[in-house]
Amino acid sequence: MKRTAIDLADGRELIYFDERDDAVRDQPDRRDLPPPPPTSQLRYDPLTDEWVAVAVHRQTRTFLPPANECPLDPSVGDRLTEIPAPDYDVVVFENRFPSLSGRVADEPGEITPFTPVRPGLGRCEVVCFTSDHNASFASLPPSRVRTVLDALADRTEVLGELPGVEQVFCFENRGVEIGVTLHHPHGQIYAYPFVTPRTRALLAAARRHAERTGGNLYADVLAAERASGDRVVTENEHWTAFVPAAARWPFEVHVAPRRVVPDIPALSDSERDAFGPLYLDLLRRFDGLFDMPMPYISAWHQAPVRVDRELGHLHLQLFSIRRATDKLKYLAGSESGMGVFINDISPERAAELLRAA
């Protein structure tokens, strides 16, 4: 894989990850762009012990443009996009409308004595999986999945070294039902200046388990699921895809390496090669459930950058809000108000349907 970094017209970084060593990436960004916005404001919620980002500039971000105006397509002729090259394999660039960045303007003041405020330091990046606007991740060859995985490993390492970054989150949103605003196949990476609430909860449970048993909680859960087999959808020598016994979403699958590793960079070459065929098979099963493209979120759970790495176990959480051909799972009163999920499909039935898809 060849890695080439350039600067866009407004100073943001763009990186080409090419599958050919002879790829030449010397096309300049010919657009006339305004400077990137200052970073967001982080406000602390003392009632939940969580940080909330206030990023008012994101209100003007691109929203469902027509296909011929997609900013993630390659630049061709006078049609100039975020990617200056006329073609590409995998591209990563700084988000033009980031929730987090290193561009600090004025230091925010205190809201109340209970609500500290600080700059939203970090970084948000866009990952384009292919130059083909009409493709999907499920249509990629395994070799391209490997390139994407190597790019995510690169970005996880680089972003984790930025001052103040505590966690790196790689994910893909697919489908307007999920809230996607650009149809081109792409994912995102958030480098947070704190450990996220979801990860803190996972680590707290893992710590209690380690103190009680000496074991790694996720590894022990994975071993139990493999021994049961009731909720295993598919597996190979290095990876297992299973529906969690307490799945929150109608169709939710965890994809985990059998070996305990903290993050994507720690995966071996053989583990990276084995991921693509299994994951592509799983995505195609999702699309086959209702004979239509399945909206989903694909979220990599990695250990924090600086703390509790021994408690982590890398895994990907793939889930959809679609529960039937004509029905979606909405986060209503119990889920949104109290955080208590109510699943309409048993995990065992979901696993059965996915195995048959």
Side-chain angles (χ1 to χ4, degrees):
M1 182 180 71
K2 182 179 181 181
R3 183 187 190 278
T4 307
I6 68 167
D7 287 335
L8 295 175
D10 57 1
R12 290 175 295 129
E13 185 181 29
L14 179 145
I15 307 163
Y16 295 100
F17 293 91
D18 284 299
E19 295 164 356
R20 299 183 351 263
D21 290 336
D22 61 350
V24 177
R25 300 303 184 188
D26 56 2
Q27 298 87 357
D29 184 1
R30 295 183 284 124
R31 297 173 297 172
D32 182 15
L33 297 178
T39 193
S40 64
Q41 195 179 88
L42 294 181
R43 299 188 178 192
Y44 178 72
D45 182 350
L47 300 179
T48 62
D49 187 27
E50 295 175 4
W51 289 94
V52 176
V54 180
V56 295
H57 60 269
R58 283 176 54 80
Q59 186 76 325
T60 61
R61 68 188 186 273
T62 308
F63 182 79
L64 294 176
N68 63 354
E69 296 179 13
C70 177
L72 305 186
D73 288 352
S75 292
V76 179
D78 291 332
R79 185 187 168 203
L80 305 179
T81 70
E82 289 281 68
I83 299 94
D87 63 72
Y88 61 84
D89 293 336
V90 174
V91 167
V92 178
F93 61 89
E94 288 184 76
N95 198 319
R96 190 175 174 184
F97 306 96
S99 303
L100 305 163
S101 78
R103 300 178 179 91
V104 178
D106 298 325
E107 287 285 341
E110 186 181 75
I111 302 296
T112 77
F114 301 101
T115 309
V117 179
R118 60 181 171 128
L121 285 174
R123 182 138 149 164
C124 291
E125 299 184 336
V126 177
V127 185
C128 296
F129 307 134
T130 171
S131 60
D132 184 355
H133 179 89
N134 297 312
S136 68
F137 201 106
S139 69
L140 301 178
S143 59
R144 177 57 55 81
V145 179
R146 172 63 196 262
T147 305
V148 171
L149 205 58
D150 287 344
L152 297 183
D154 175 282
R155 303 316 300 153
T156 296
E157 286 190 307
V158 172
L159 297 177
E161 293 174 355
L162 293 178
V165 168
E166 298 294 335
Q167 182 176 344
V168 179
F169 174 45
C170 309
F171 62 100
E172 179 195 2
N173 298 331
R174 184 209 190 187
V176 293
E177 301 93 335
I178 289 293
V180 165
T181 57
L182 295 174
H183 289 301
H184 194 110
H186 73 287
Q188 298 182 65
I189 306 173
Y190 277 29
Y192 296 103
F194 50 79
V195 178
T196 62
R198 173 70 171 171
T199 300
R200 285 165 56 194
L202 293 174
L203 290 172
R207 187 178 299 107
R208 291 191 296 269
H209 180 81
E211 292 171 350
R212 188 171 63 252
T213 70
N216 180 285
L217 177 58
Y218 197 95
D220 290 348
V221 169
L222 175 60
E225 290 291 355
R226 294 188 65 228
S228 166
D230 291 343
R231 288 166 296 279
V232 172
V233 178
T234 184
E235 59 183 337
N236 61 24
E237 179 184 0
H238 294 289
W239 297 83
T240 300
F242 67 97
V243 178
R248 288 163 167 74
W249 304 95
F251 293 95
E252 176 182 349
V253 176
H254 285 200
V255 183
R258 296 188 186 181
R259 188 171 65 97
V260 177
V261 296
D263 52 24
I264 298 171
L267 292 171
S268 67
D269 279 339
S270 57
E271 287 167 332
R272 296 187 192 194
D273 284 338
F275 172 76
L278 181 140
Y279 184 53
L280 292 173
D281 172 66
L282 185 61
L283 290 179
R284 290 160 188 161
R285 291 175 187 273
F286 264 59
D287 286 346
L289 278 172
F290 305 115
D291 293 322
M292 64 174 66
M294 192 73 144
Y296 64 73
I297 292 175
S298 179
W300 282 102
H301 291 263
Q302 305 193 87
V305 172
R306 308 176 201 284
V307 298
D308 295 327
R309 289 179 62 78
E310 74 284 355
L311 296 174
H313 189 307
L314 173 72
H315 61 281
L316 181 144
Q317 180 189 19
L318 176 70
F319 61 93
S320 179
I321 61 172
R322 186 170 295 285
R323 59 188 176 93
T325 303
D326 57 348
K327 297 176 182 177
L328 299 177
K329 166 66 178 177
Y330 292 107
L331 297 190
S334 184
E335 291 89 356
S336 295
M338 288 291 108
V340 178
F341 277 70
I342 301 170
N343 197 345
D344 304 295
I345 300 174
S346 77
E348 293 74 24
R349 178 58 177 163
E352 180 184 357
L353 291 170
L354 284 166
R355 285 193 297 264

